[in-house]
Amino acid sequence: MDFDFKLPELGRPASSRPKRVAEAIKNELTLLLLQRAADPRLSGAAISRVEVSPDLKTAKIYVTAASKEENRRTMEGMKKAKGFFRSHLAKVLNLRYTPELMFYYDNIAEEAQRVEQLLTELEHERRRGPA
């Protein structure tokens, strides 16, 4: 006896709409940071990536700061400007619901630097030969 189990999301490919919305949010927020952000804490901030949930209700925005020391101040500035960013997105993007913005510090540059350092250490050890 064969059973045909069809679940709603199994047969469909993932929608590309969240990716497109994430790209639009990233572009708009980058422009806002460059042109209209008046808070001095946001001067060194950059949006590295945006992830939007499949229902388009939440957006995770990953932010990088100019330096590791400015990281906390930048994140405070981003959270303070959340309403400004969201209202601008509501005006510009043609969405039924404007996503809730959640800001996260993106430490990808620090991780890349750490991996690079580990690789150079391994290369130096390899050149020295076995001990």
Side-chain angles (χ1 to χ4, degrees), residues 81-95:
K82 182 191 296 193
F84 170 69
F85 292 147
R86 194 165 184 224
S87 65
H88 177 78
L89 290 174
K91 292 175 193 171
V92 174
L93 301 179
N94 188 18
L95 297 173

Side-chain angles (χ1 to χ4, degrees), residues 41-46 63-67 70-79:
R41 296 177 289 188
L42 302 179
S43 62
V63 181
T64 58
S67 68
E70 293 180 17
N71 152 7
R72 186 182 54 78
R73 292 182 61 233
T74 300
M75 293 309 294
E76 288 173 1
M78 294 297 283
K79 288 177 182 172

